[in-house]
Amino acid sequence: MKRFIAIAAAVLATLACTKEYTKQFRGYYSFKTGGSVEISGKIYTVKEDTVKIDTIPHVVTLGPLTFRDTTYNYHVKLDTIASRDTTVTRHIVAESGQMHILEDGTDRMKVTMNVTGGDPVVFDASADSDNITLSPVKRYITVSTDGLGIPSRCWMNVSGSGKRYEDMIIFNLTYQGDYNFEDIEGTVTKSDINCIATVNE
C-alpha cells in the first residue's frame, strides 16, 4: 500500500510539473514568420522546338479592293538539352497573424496560427521545462523566386521548437519537402526560418 501511495504521489508530482510547463506557453500572441530554405537538386537547360505550323490565309474585300494576308500559329514544345547539379537559396514569403497556444490535456497543447490573408494552421505540441515542440504538419508554403517571376507554392512538412523569453516566444522552424519551379527541381536540405510570437496585451 505504501508503495502504491509513493508511486501515485510521484505521478501526481510529474503531472503537476508538466502542467506548469504548458502553462508558461499558454496564451494569445501576434506572430511574424520569415527566413529562407536551401534547395539541392537539378537545374535544367531547355529550348523550344517548333513541332507544327498552322498557315491561315485571310481574304478581306472592301468594295472593289481585295486584301490577302496570312497568319501563322506555331506549336512548340520544350526539350531538355542539358542538366546540372545545383544548390539555391530561396526566401520564404513572410507571414504574420494571430497565434493561440492552448492546453489539450495534461501534457499536450494546440498551437493555432491564423495567417493574415492565408490558410489557418494547427500544430499539435508538447512542452518541457524550457521548450515547446511543434509536431510536423503539412502546409502549402509560398516561396519567393527572388525576382525571377511570381512566387511559387509547394507543400512542405513544417515542425519546430520554441523557447520563451519574457513576453515573447522565439520558434525555430524546420521546413522539409520537394521544390519544383520552372527549370529547377530539388529538395529542401536546410532551412533557416524563425517565428517571433509576442504576447498580446
Side-chain angles (χ1 to χ4, degrees), residues 41-94:
K42 295 282 188 182
I43 184 168
Y44 296 93
T45 302
V46 298
K47 70 173 184 176
E48 290 185 349
D49 284 341
T50 301
V51 295
K52 182 182 178 183
I53 302 175
D54 295 330
T55 303
I56 305 171
H58 302 279
V59 178
V60 179
T61 301
L62 297 174
L65 301 175
T66 299
F67 300 92
R68 291 179 170 82
D69 193 12
T70 303
T71 58
Y72 302 93
N73 286 341
Y74 294 87
H75 300 268
V76 300
K77 70 174 183 179
L78 296 178
D79 279 345
T80 300
I81 60 175
S83 68
R84 59 180 173 83
D85 294 335
T86 188
T87 299
V88 297
T89 299
R90 291 287 183 264
H91 289 90
I92 299 298
V93 173

Coordinates of all heavy atoms in Angstrom, one line a residue, residues 41-94:
G41 N 19.3 20.1 -55.9 CA 18.7 19.4 -56.9 C 19.3 19.6 -58.3 O 20.5 19.7 -58.4
K42 N 18.5 19.7 -59.3 CA 18.9 19.8 -60.7 C 18.4 21.1 -61.3 O 17.2 21.5 -61.0 CB 18.4 18.6 -61.5 CG 18.9 17.3 -61.2 CD 20.3 17.1 -61.7 CE 20.8 15.6 -61.5 NZ 22.2 15.4 -62.0
I43 N 19.2 21.7 -62.1 CA 18.7 22.9 -62.9 C 18.8 22.4 -64.4 O 19.8 21.8 -64.8 CB 19.5 24.1 -62.7 CG1 18.9 25.3 -63.5 CG2 21.0 24.0 -63.0 CD1 19.5 26.7 -63.0
Y44 N 17.8 22.6 -65.1 CA 17.7 22.1 -66.5 C 17.8 23.3 -67.5 O 17.2 24.4 -67.3 CB 16.4 21.4 -66.7 CG 16.2 20.2 -65.8 CD1 15.6 20.2 -64.6 CD2 16.7 18.9 -66.3 CE1 15.5 19.1 -63.8 CE2 16.6 17.8 -65.5 CZ 16.0 17.9 -64.2 OH 15.9 16.8 -63.4
T45 N 18.5 23.0 -68.6 CA 18.5 23.9 -69.7 C 17.6 23.4 -70.8 O 17.7 22.3 -71.2 CB 19.9 24.0 -70.3 OG1 20.8 24.5 -69.3 CG2 20.0 25.0 -71.5
V46 N 16.6 24.2 -71.1 CA 15.6 23.8 -72.1 C 15.5 24.8 -73.3 O 16.0 25.9 -73.2 CB 14.2 23.7 -71.4 CG1 14.2 22.7 -70.3 CG2 13.8 25.1 -70.9
K47 N 15.0 24.3 -74.4 CA 14.8 25.1 -75.6 C 13.5 24.8 -76.2 O 12.9 23.7 -75.9 CB 15.9 24.9 -76.6 CG 15.9 23.6 -77.3 CD 16.9 23.5 -78.4 CE 16.8 22.2 -79.2 NZ 17.7 22.2 -80.3
E48 N 12.9 25.7 -76.9 CA 11.7 25.5 -77.6 C 11.9 24.9 -79.0 O 12.7 25.4 -79.8 CB 10.9 26.8 -77.7 CG 10.4 27.3 -76.4 CD 9.5 28.6 -76.6 OE1 9.5 29.1 -77.7 OE2 8.8 29.0 -75.6
D49 N 11.2 23.8 -79.3 CA 11.2 23.2 -80.6 C 9.9 23.4 -81.3 O 8.8 23.1 -80.6 CB 11.5 21.7 -80.5 CG 13.0 21.5 -80.3 OD1 13.8 22.4 -80.5 OD2 13.3 20.3 -79.8
T50 N 9.9 23.9 -82.5 CA 8.6 24.0 -83.2 C 8.2 22.7 -83.8 O 9.0 22.1 -84.6 CB 8.8 25.1 -84.4 OG1 9.1 26.3 -83.8 CG2 7.5 25.3 -85.1
V51 N 7.1 22.2 -83.5 CA 6.6 20.9 -84.0 C 5.6 21.0 -85.1 O 5.3 20.0 -85.8 CB 6.1 20.0 -82.8 CG1 7.2 19.7 -81.8 CG2 5.0 20.7 -82.1
K52 N 4.9 22.2 -85.2 CA 3.9 22.3 -86.2 C 3.6 23.8 -86.4 O 3.7 24.6 -85.5 CB 2.6 21.6 -85.7 CG 1.5 21.6 -86.7 CD 0.2 20.9 -86.1 CE -1.0 21.0 -87.1 NZ -2.2 20.4 -86.5
I53 N 3.3 24.1 -87.7 CA 3.0 25.5 -88.0 C 1.6 25.5 -88.8 O 1.5 24.8 -89.8 CB 4.0 26.2 -88.9 CG1 5.4 26.2 -88.2 CG2 3.6 27.6 -89.3 CD1 6.5 26.7 -89.1
D54 N 0.7 26.2 -88.3 CA -0.6 26.3 -89.0 C -0.6 27.6 -89.8 O -0.3 28.7 -89.3 CB -1.8 26.4 -88.0 CG -1.9 25.1 -87.2 OD1 -1.6 24.0 -87.7 OD2 -2.4 25.2 -86.0
T55 N -0.9 27.4 -91.1 CA -0.9 28.6 -92.0 C -2.4 28.9 -92.3 O -3.2 28.1 -92.7 CB -0.2 28.2 -93.4 OG1 1.1 27.9 -93.1 CG2 -0.2 29.5 -94.3
I56 N -2.7 30.2 -91.9 CA -4.1 30.6 -92.0 C -4.2 31.8 -93.0 O -3.8 32.9 -92.6 CB -4.7 31.0 -90.6 CG1 -4.5 29.8 -89.6 CG2 -6.2 31.3 -90.7 CD1 -4.8 30.2 -88.2
P57 N -4.8 31.5 -94.2 CA -5.0 32.7 -95.1 C -6.2 33.5 -94.8 O -7.2 33.0 -94.3 CB -5.1 32.0 -96.5 CG -5.7 30.6 -96.1 CD -5.2 30.3 -94.8
H58 N -6.1 34.8 -95.0 CA -7.2 35.7 -94.8 C -7.5 36.5 -96.1 O -6.5 37.0 -96.7 CB -6.9 36.7 -93.6 CG -6.6 36.0 -92.4 ND1 -7.5 35.5 -91.5 CD2 -5.4 35.7 -91.8 CE1 -7.0 34.9 -90.4 NE2 -5.6 35.0 -90.6
V59 N -8.8 36.6 -96.4 CA -9.2 37.5 -97.6 C -10.2 38.4 -97.1 O -11.2 38.1 -96.5 CB -9.7 36.6 -98.7 CG1 -10.2 37.5 -99.9 CG2 -8.7 35.6 -99.2
V60 N -9.9 39.7 -97.3 CA -10.8 40.8 -96.9 C -11.2 41.6 -98.1 O -10.3 42.1 -98.8 CB -10.2 41.7 -95.8 CG1 -11.2 42.8 -95.4 CG2 -9.9 40.8 -94.6
T61 N -12.4 41.8 -98.4 CA -12.9 42.6 -99.6 C -13.6 43.8 -99.1 O -14.5 43.8 -98.3 CB -13.9 41.8 -100.4 OG1 -13.2 40.6 -100.9 CG2 -14.3 42.6 -101.6
L62 N -13.1 45.0 -99.6 CA -13.6 46.3 -99.3 C -14.0 46.9 -100.6 O -13.1 47.5 -101.3 CB -12.7 47.1 -98.5 CG -12.3 46.6 -97.1 CD1 -11.2 47.5 -96.5 CD2 -13.5 46.6 -96.2
G63 N -15.3 46.8 -101.0 CA -15.7 47.4 -102.3 C -14.9 46.7 -103.4 O -14.9 45.5 -103.5
P64 N -14.3 47.5 -104.3 CA -13.6 46.9 -105.4 C -12.2 46.3 -105.0 O -11.5 45.7 -105.8 CB -13.4 48.0 -106.4 CG -13.3 49.2 -105.5 CD -14.3 48.9 -104.3
L65 N -11.8 46.5 -103.8 CA -10.4 46.1 -103.4 C -10.5 44.8 -102.6 O -11.4 44.6 -101.7 CB -9.8 47.2 -102.5 CG -9.6 48.6 -103.2 CD1 -9.1 49.5 -102.2 CD2 -8.7 48.4 -104.4
T66 N -9.5 43.9 -102.8 CA -9.4 42.7 -102.1 C -8.0 42.6 -101.5 O -7.0 42.8 -102.2 CB -9.6 41.5 -103.1 OG1 -10.9 41.5 -103.6 CG2 -9.4 40.2 -102.3
F67 N -8.0 42.3 -100.2 CA -6.8 42.3 -99.4 C -6.5 40.8 -99.0 O -7.5 40.2 -98.5 CB -6.8 43.2 -98.2 CG -7.0 44.6 -98.6 CD1 -8.3 45.2 -98.6 CD2 -5.9 45.4 -98.9 CE1 -8.5 46.5 -98.9 CE2 -6.1 46.8 -99.2 CZ -7.4 47.3 -99.2
R68 N -5.4 40.3 -99.2 CA -5.0 39.0 -98.8 C -3.8 39.0 -97.7 O -2.9 39.8 -97.9 CB -4.6 38.1 -100.0 CG -5.7 37.8 -100.9 CD -5.3 37.0 -102.1 NE -6.4 36.5 -102.9 CZ -7.1 37.2 -103.8 NH1 -6.7 38.5 -104.0 NH2 -8.1 36.7 -104.4
D69 N -4.0 38.2 -96.7 CA -3.0 38.2 -95.7 C -2.9 36.8 -95.2 O -3.8 35.9 -95.4 CB -3.3 39.2 -94.6 CG -2.2 39.4 -93.6 OD1 -1.0 39.0 -94.0 OD2 -2.4 39.9 -92.5
T70 N -1.8 36.5 -94.5 CA -1.6 35.1 -93.9 C -1.1 35.3 -92.5 O -0.2 36.1 -92.2 CB -0.6 34.3 -94.7 OG1 -1.1 34.2 -96.1 CG2 -0.5 32.9 -94.2
T71 N -1.6 34.5 -91.6 CA -1.1 34.4 -90.2 C -0.6 33.0 -90.0 O -1.1 32.1 -90.6 CB -2.1 34.8 -89.2 OG1 -3.3 34.0 -89.3 CG2 -2.6 36.3 -89.3
Y72 N 0.3 32.9 -89.0 CA 0.9 31.6 -88.7 C 0.7 31.3 -87.2 O 1.0 32.2 -86.4 CB 2.4 31.6 -89.1 CG 2.6 31.9 -90.5 CD1 2.9 33.2 -91.0 CD2 2.6 30.9 -91.5 CE1 3.1 33.5 -92.3 CE2 2.8 31.1 -92.8 CZ 3.0 32.4 -93.2 OH 3.2 32.7 -94.6
N73 N 0.3 30.1 -86.9 CA 0.2 29.7 -85.5 C 1.3 28.6 -85.3 O 1.3 27.6 -86.0 CB -1.1 29.1 -85.1 CG -2.2 30.1 -85.0 OD1 -1.9 31.3 -84.8 ND2 -3.5 29.7 -85.1
Y74 N 2.2 28.9 -84.3 CA 3.3 28.0 -84.1 C 3.0 27.1 -82.9 O 2.7 27.6 -81.8 CB 4.6 28.8 -83.8 CG 5.1 29.5 -85.0 CD1 4.6 30.8 -85.3 CD2 6.0 29.0 -85.9 CE1 5.1 31.5 -86.4 CE2 6.5 29.7 -87.0 CZ 6.0 30.9 -87.3 OH 6.4 31.6 -88.4
H75 N 3.2 25.8 -83.0 CA 3.1 24.8 -81.9 C 4.5 24.4 -81.5 O 5.2 23.9 -82.3 CB 2.2 23.6 -82.4 CG 0.8 24.0 -82.8 ND1 -0.2 24.0 -82.0 CD2 0.4 24.4 -84.0 CE1 -1.3 24.3 -82.7 NE2 -1.0 24.6 -83.9
V76 N 4.8 24.7 -80.2 CA 6.1 24.4 -79.7 C 6.1 23.4 -78.5 O 5.0 23.3 -77.9 CB 6.9 25.7 -79.4 CG1 7.0 26.6 -80.6 CG2 6.2 26.4 -78.2
K77 N 7.2 22.8 -78.3 CA 7.3 22.0 -77.1 C 8.7 22.3 -76.5 O 9.6 22.7 -77.2 CB 7.2 20.5 -77.3 CG 8.3 19.9 -78.1 CD 8.1 18.4 -78.2 CE 9.3 17.7 -79.0 NZ 9.2 16.3 -79.0
L78 N 8.8 22.1 -75.2 CA 10.1 22.3 -74.5 C 10.9 21.0 -74.5 O 10.4 20.0 -74.1 CB 9.9 22.8 -73.1 CG 9.2 24.2 -73.0 CD1 9.0 24.5 -71.5 CD2 10.0 25.3 -73.7
D79 N 12.1 21.1 -74.9 CA 13.1 20.0 -74.9 C 14.2 20.3 -73.9 O 14.8 21.4 -74.0 CB 13.7 19.7 -76.3 CG 12.7 18.9 -77.2 OD1 11.7 18.4 -76.6 OD2 12.9 18.9 -78.4
T80 N 14.5 19.3 -73.1 CA 15.6 19.5 -72.2 C 16.9 19.1 -72.9 O 17.0 18.0 -73.4 CB 15.5 18.6 -70.9 OG1 14.3 18.9 -70.2 CG2 16.7 18.7 -70.0
I81 N 17.9 20.0 -72.9 CA 19.1 19.7 -73.7 C 20.3 19.5 -72.7 O 21.3 19.0 -73.2 CB 19.4 20.8 -74.7 CG1 19.6 22.2 -74.0 CG2 18.3 20.9 -75.8 CD1 20.0 23.3 -74.9
A82 N 20.1 19.9 -71.5 CA 21.2 19.7 -70.5 C 20.7 19.8 -69.1 O 19.7 20.4 -68.9 CB 22.4 20.7 -70.8
S83 N 21.5 19.3 -68.1 CA 21.1 19.5 -66.7 C 22.4 19.4 -65.9 O 23.4 18.9 -66.3 CB 20.2 18.4 -66.2 OG 20.8 17.1 -66.2
R84 N 22.3 20.0 -64.7 CA 23.5 20.0 -63.8 C 23.0 20.1 -62.4 O 21.9 20.6 -62.1 CB 24.5 21.2 -64.1 CG 23.9 22.6 -64.0 CD 24.9 23.6 -64.3 NE 24.3 25.0 -64.4 CZ 24.1 25.7 -63.3 NH1 24.4 25.3 -62.1 NH2 23.5 26.9 -63.5
D85 N 23.8 19.7 -61.5 CA 23.5 19.8 -60.0 C 23.6 21.2 -59.6 O 24.4 22.0 -60.1 CB 24.5 18.9 -59.2 CG 24.3 17.4 -59.5 OD1 23.2 17.0 -59.9 OD2 25.3 16.7 -59.3
T86 N 22.7 21.6 -58.7 CA 22.7 23.0 -58.2 C 22.2 23.0 -56.8 O 21.5 22.1 -56.3 CB 21.8 23.8 -59.1 OG1 22.0 25.2 -58.7 CG2 20.3 23.5 -58.9
T87 N 22.6 24.0 -56.1 CA 22.1 24.4 -54.8 C 21.7 25.9 -54.8 O 22.5 26.7 -55.1 CB 23.1 24.1 -53.6 OG1 23.4 22.7 -53.6 CG2 22.5 24.5 -52.3
V88 N 20.5 26.2 -54.5 CA 20.0 27.5 -54.5 C 19.3 27.9 -53.1 O 18.9 27.0 -52.4 CB 19.0 27.8 -55.6 CG1 19.7 27.6 -57.0 CG2 17.8 26.9 -55.5
T89 N 19.3 29.1 -52.8 CA 18.6 29.6 -51.6 C 17.4 30.4 -52.0 O 17.5 31.3 -52.9 CB 19.5 30.5 -50.8 OG1 20.7 29.7 -50.4 CG2 18.8 31.0 -49.5
R90 N 16.3 30.1 -51.5 CA 15.0 30.8 -51.7 C 14.4 31.3 -50.4 O 14.4 30.6 -49.4 CB 14.0 29.9 -52.4 CG 14.4 29.5 -53.9 CD 14.2 30.7 -54.8 NE 14.5 30.3 -56.2 CZ 15.7 30.5 -56.8 NH1 16.7 31.1 -56.1 NH2 15.9 30.2 -58.0
H91 N 13.9 32.5 -50.5 CA 13.3 33.1 -49.3 C 11.8 32.7 -49.2 O 11.1 32.6 -50.2 CB 13.4 34.6 -49.3 CG 14.8 35.1 -49.1 ND1 15.7 35.4 -50.1 CD2 15.5 35.4 -47.9 CE1 16.8 35.8 -49.6 NE2 16.7 35.8 -48.3
I92 N 11.4 32.4 -48.0 CA 10.0 32.2 -47.7 C 9.3 33.5 -47.6 O 9.8 34.4 -46.9 CB 9.8 31.4 -46.4 CG1 10.6 30.0 -46.5 CG2 8.4 31.2 -46.1 CD1 10.0 29.1 -47.6
V93 N 8.2 33.6 -48.3 CA 7.4 34.9 -48.2 C 6.9 35.0 -46.8 O 6.3 34.1 -46.2 CB 6.2 34.8 -49.2 CG1 5.3 36.0 -49.0 CG2 6.7 34.8 -50.6
A94 N 7.2 36.2 -46.2 CA 6.9 36.4 -44.8 C 5.4 36.3 -44.5 O 4.6 36.7 -45.3 CB 7.4 37.8 -44.4

